Amino acid sequence: MKAIALATCSVLISTGVHAADLTVAYETAPVVADGFSWTGGYIGVNVGYGWGDFEHSVQTKTPEGKSPLPGTPESEIAYRILDQATYNSSPDGFIGGAQLGYNWQFDQLVVGVEADFQGGNIKGSVSGGADSYGFNAESKIDWYGTARARLGYVPAERFLVYATGGLAYGHVESYMNYAGYESSVSTTKTGYTVGGGAEYAFDNNWSLKAEYLYTDLGEIDNLSAQRVYTKFSSETEASFQAVRLGLNYRF
């Protein structure tokens, strides 16, 4: 009986020790947090709306006093402005395109680079003037792109707000009729863009963004004509704004 009792106690003690070991092992198993980071590359698409303020400046200059003799050097002719005016058109239209970029996150600070290309139909027209100085113009941006730096802040783990700016380029078509002279220009211009936006990652690989950009493509020489010594000229300043919604895939 004493032997049986000792054996029984030994089995119970051994079983208890193993159970305690299992319990301790289960309770101390580490839990790994699935942290999110904005670091990495991405590619995406966007759609939006653009509107602008195209400034068309025209000018007519004629020699001061009596007309110079034929063959008079240009440097010896003094001109006065006979007509000068500025007309503003308000082009607008829808845009759509794609973007790609890369981010680096340092704590709550995010720096990155992004390039995008947009197709669209941002166009407008304006007319004015009177008598022999009548004026009308039509201008359109049918594609443009940007290459920008981004600087952002992360107030919450999956929410990013940022400022952005850099190079812009685009294709501008401009038709103008001033004082009976016609001009049609199709050219690619470069300029700058600045703006900002916000982005939210609703998944480890997918994010949505809303963005605003102001873009200035600079000045376009539309018309340079001369009737005897009277000179006619016109220029267009092409700038516009855009708001876009985008979807990015992060890899």
Side-chain angles (χ1 to χ4, degrees):
M1 290 294 292
K2 186 182 293 185
I4 293 173
L6 289 173
T8 302
C9 288
S10 176
V11 169
L12 290 174
I13 291 171
S14 175
T15 303
V17 168
H18 285 297
D21 290 343
L22 288 174
T23 301
V24 170
Y26 174 78
E27 289 177 351
T28 58
V31 178
V32 180
D34 184 18
F36 177 81
S37 173
W38 287 97
T39 296
Y42 61 90
I43 188 169
V45 294
N46 69 79
V47 294
Y49 175 75
W51 70 98
D53 180 17
F54 285 12
E55 186 176 277
H56 309 277
S57 302
V58 296
Q59 185 180 83
T60 300
K61 295 193 302 182
T62 191
E64 191 80 55
K66 63 181 182 179
S67 298
L69 295 173
T72 302
E74 184 72 26
S75 60
E76 296 180 9
I77 303 174
Y79 284 93
R80 65 184 175 89
I81 296 174
L82 189 63
D83 179 67
Q84 183 171 280
T86 299
Y87 303 91
N88 291 80
S89 62
S90 300
D92 64 341
F94 290 98
I95 56 175
Q99 67 272 349
L100 60 88
Y102 198 95
N103 291 320
W104 295 268
Q105 182 170 351
F106 305 96
D107 195 15
Q108 288 181 281
L109 180 69
V110 175
V111 294
V113 291
E114 181 175 292
D116 67 87
F117 187 84
Q118 308 293 129
N121 192 28
I122 304 174
K123 65 178 182 178
S125 61
V126 63
S127 60
D131 302 326
S132 59
Y133 298 107
F135 170 85
N136 65 78
E138 296 178 359
S139 298
K140 178 176 72 172
I141 295 175
D142 51 13
W143 60 259
Y144 74 97
T146 72
R148 296 170 283 109
R150 298 205 313 172
L151 177 62
Y153 176 75
V154 182
E157 186 180 45
R158 293 176 178 267
F159 184 62
L160 169 69
V161 292
Y162 61 89
T164 184
L167 171 72
Y169 59 94
H171 184 252
V172 184
E173 295 180 0
S174 183
Y175 164 81
M176 185 172 291
N177 185 316
Y178 173 54
Y181 290 95
E182 288 187 323
S183 172
S184 183
V185 176
S186 177
T187 183
T188 300
K189 298 290 293 181
T190 58
Y192 70 91
T193 186
V194 292
E199 191 167 355
Y200 176 71
F202 60 90
D203 180 86
N204 284 343
N205 297 105
W206 294 95
S207 62
L208 285 171
K209 73 170 184 176
E211 188 172 65
Y212 164 85
L213 291 176
Y214 170 83
T215 302
D216 191 329
L217 294 178
E219 197 172 82
I220 303 161
D221 293 326
N222 291 101
L223 176 66
S224 180
Q226 187 166 331
R227 183 188 300 156
V228 190
Y229 283 99
T230 300
K231 296 183 175 183
F232 303 86
S233 63
S234 65
E235 299 171 340
T236 296
E237 180 78 23
S239 62
F240 62 97
Q241 304 172 70
V243 289
R244 309 189 295 196
L245 293 176
L247 176 67
N248 285 331
Y249 175 75
R250 300 162 36 76
F251 50 85

